[in-house]
Amino acid sequence: MAKRNHFNKIEMALIKAFIYEIDPCIEVFRGSRYEVDIDEEKIFLGNKRFDRISKIFIEHWQPYFQNININWCVLSILHEVGHIMTATDEIRDNRFLLDNIYSFLYSENAINELEYFNSYFDIPAEYDATLWGINYYIQNKEKCDKLAKQLGVS
């Protein structure tokens, strides 16, 4: 049997309850990828399959939590919440400008995939959201690890 890549209804309910404890105003939906609508306070969750982008993401951020086992899937969810928790107008404006520049450089083969993602992860909005997620995870490790286990991604 093929392994499911998307979150089922029960898993979505668990995630929604988890997020509700952080901020009851944030709505959670299944999506084609992990993304956020900051103004509407909505997060969209992609699949729960560990892929090469997840690997690059974890490798990029590993120095920030060297001695702590952080689950990539829960961190990805917290990263999207972190966008809402750390959003400012300046950060939002710069995020899209920098993302467009890095995307252009990648499309023109001026930078490779690893350079693109490492640059993208260091965009202030992305950096702040991930750092918020890491800090939340560390401060609430037991709760985050429990969610990872419930989602079958631990």
Side-chain angles (χ1 to χ4, degrees):
M1 179 192 301
K3 189 173 182 180
R4 286 182 304 103
N5 291 326
H6 65 279
F7 297 104
N8 65 34
K9 288 181 182 181
I10 294 170
E11 292 166 338
M12 287 299 291
L14 291 167
I15 294 167
K16 288 177 182 183
F18 177 82
I19 301 296
Y20 186 86
E21 288 184 25
I22 296 171
D23 185 334
C25 295
I26 298 174
E27 295 181 85
V28 182
F29 302 93
R30 210 179 292 153
S32 59
R33 62 185 181 168
Y34 287 85
E35 58 187 329
V36 64
D37 181 332
I38 295 169
D39 296 326
E40 296 293 322
E41 293 191 342
K42 296 178 181 179
I43 64 170
F44 301 87
L45 304 178
N47 65 48
K48 63 180 191 176
R49 181 186 72 229
F50 189 80
D51 58 16
R52 80 177 192 297
I53 297 171
S54 305
K55 184 178 186 294
I56 294 169
F57 177 75
I58 289 299
E59 287 173 355
H60 180 85
W61 285 98
Q62 193 70 46
Y64 293 85
F65 54 89
Q66 291 176 21
N67 300 320
I68 300 167
N69 185 21
I70 290 183
N71 179 274
W72 72 272
C73 186
V74 175
L75 180 57
S76 296
I77 294 167
L78 289 171
H79 166 88
E80 299 307 333
V81 174
H83 275 300
I84 294 168
M85 305 305 273
T86 63
T88 66
D89 289 337
E90 180 182 355
I91 284 177
R92 281 192 285 218
D93 293 343
N94 288 339
R95 175 183 178 209
F96 297 111
L97 173 65
L98 290 169
D99 184 26
N100 288 337
I101 291 169
Y102 297 136
S103 295
F104 173 77
L105 291 171
Y106 178 63
S107 71
E108 294 294 313
N109 294 318
I111 59 175
N112 65 34
E113 182 182 63
L114 184 59
E115 292 168 322
Y116 166 73
F117 282 113
N118 282 327
S119 297
Y120 178 81
F121 298 147
D122 285 334
I123 293 172
E126 298 301 322
Y127 178 89
D128 290 350
T130 304
L131 199 55
W132 184 92
I134 290 169
N135 287 328
Y136 184 88
Y137 200 118
I138 290 168
Q139 293 168 8
N140 299 277
K141 184 149 178 39
E142 188 174 301
K143 186 188 317 185
C144 293
D145 288 344
K146 179 181 177 183
L147 178 63
K149 186 175 182 179
Q150 291 171 322
L151 298 176
V153 294
S154 59

